[in-house]
Amino acid sequence: MNRRYRKTIIAGNWKMNKTASETKKFAEELKALLPKAKWCDVVVCVPAVNIPAAIKAFKDVRVSVGAQNLFYEKSGAYTGEVSADMLKDLGVKYVIIGHSERRQYFGETDFTVNKKVHAALDAGLHPIICVGESLEQRELGITMELIALQVKSALAGVSAEKLRKCVIAYEPIWAIGTGKTATAEQAAEVCTFIRTTVRHLYGARIARSITIQYGGSMKPSNAAELLGQPDIDGGLIGGAALNAKDFVEIINAANQE
């Protein structure tokens, strides 16, 4: 982490978990445990149907509510989809875009990710842009080429001014929901490469200011080591974000000097 130049952001991704009533209960548990002094931003990305409950439950604390997806058109005949303006109107601040599960199960591509990034930015949302490689791609030795392609594709046409609202999350697919975690050195190597890629696109000053998260099975036992890496500015937390105590332990790790 480097708080001098950029935000540290701990974001929970609930995926398809918890009902609206369970959201309220979680918020009560989390608020009771949250540290009073905070140096990191906290985000809870909930299923779309839980957003109103989350907005209400967290209105009196410094916890932002995020969405897990959006559609890139503003309106129209797109049954079942949710637009950026709809999310913004509810009070959503962040939105996850291009998560590996969206790419794997719902056919999202680098092209659609880029369109969603622009839709989010145009609505004033902060996109959390996910990039990452599979185990096969890592073993082939093409991790960096793939990450560069994903970053460049996602940010195509994004101005330097708008890039300041973006967060990039490195999530090695082989470490999501598997219990496996990239070592601190592996995670740091890719996050540093992401910052280098952004520097080539936008210059050193912009690259220095962008938040880059790690998103592969971060948990209380490994959070401090991962967050101690200079180019890892937070985490996109899956399973550990569903338990208030575990989530707060990761937040505490991010708040350490």
Side-chain angles (χ1 to χ4, degrees):
M1 296 179 292
N2 189 330
R3 296 194 186 96
R4 179 180 177 186
Y5 296 115
R6 49 192 176 264
K7 287 182 179 180
T8 301
I9 302 174
I10 299 296
N13 175 17
W14 286 7
K15 306 187 180 183
M16 197 177 72
N17 291 290
K18 295 191 185 295
T19 62
S21 56
E22 289 170 337
T23 298
K24 180 181 178 182
K25 180 182 178 184
F26 176 91
E28 292 169 353
E29 294 173 353
L30 185 66
K31 287 189 286 187
L33 296 170
L34 278 174
K36 301 228 184 294
K38 287 191 282 184
W39 291 272
C40 75
D41 286 6
V42 179
V43 183
V44 179
C45 297
V46 304
V49 294
N50 294 350
I51 290 172
I55 293 289
K56 183 177 180 180
F58 289 113
K59 66 181 179 181
D60 55 346
V61 290
R62 288 173 52 196
V63 175
S64 299
V65 175
Q68 299 175 12
N69 185 36
L70 54 71
F71 192 56
Y72 48 76
E73 296 291 353
K74 290 181 71 68
S75 62
Y78 306 105
T79 300
E81 295 296 333
V82 177
S83 73
D85 288 339
M86 291 173 182
L87 296 176
K88 182 72 172 178
D89 189 62
L90 287 174
V92 166
K93 186 174 181 181
Y94 290 86
V95 57
I96 299 171
I97 295 176
H99 192 279
S100 62
E101 291 158 2
R102 297 295 312 175
R103 296 177 189 252
Q104 178 181 356
Y105 299 122
F106 304 102
E108 292 202 4
T109 66
D110 291 337
F111 176 72
T112 56
V113 166
N114 176 251
K115 293 182 75 171
K116 291 186 177 190
V117 169
H118 281 282
L121 291 170
D122 289 345
L125 299 174
H126 294 259
I128 299 175
I129 305 165
C130 298
V131 299
E133 83 284 13
S134 67
L135 181 60
E136 292 78 10
Q137 289 163 335
R138 172 165 280 272
E139 290 177 343
L140 283 172
I142 59 173
T143 293
M144 300 311 185
E145 291 93 332
L146 180 72
I147 296 296
L149 175 63
Q150 290 178 334
V151 170
K152 291 176 181 179
S153 298
L155 299 180
V158 174
S159 68
E161 181 181 355
K162 286 190 174 182
L163 182 67
R164 295 179 183 277
K165 296 178 74 72
C166 296
V167 175
I168 299 176
Y170 167 54
E171 41 155 34
I173 298 169
W174 48 272
I176 298 172
T178 63
K180 297 180 181 179
T181 309
T183 65
E185 291 76 18
Q186 287 174 321
E189 181 185 26
V190 179
C191 289
T192 298
F193 177 77
I194 290 170
R195 199 175 306 284
T196 299
T197 301
V198 174
R199 185 171 72 244
H200 289 159
L201 295 172
Y202 294 93
R205 183 169 59 86
I206 299 297
R208 190 172 60 187
S209 69
I210 191 168
T211 296
I212 299 175
Q213 299 174 315
Y214 173 72
S217 295
M218 184 183 286
K219 47 192 177 247
S221 61
N222 61 25
E225 184 181 13
L226 287 163
L227 293 168
Q229 306 304 312
D231 284 310
I232 298 179
D233 309 308
L236 182 59
I237 317 301
L242 297 172
N243 179 286
K245 183 177 180 294
D246 288 347
F247 194 43
V248 166
E249 285 190 37
I250 295 172
I251 293 168
N252 286 338
N255 283 337
Q256 292 179 10
E257 291 293 342

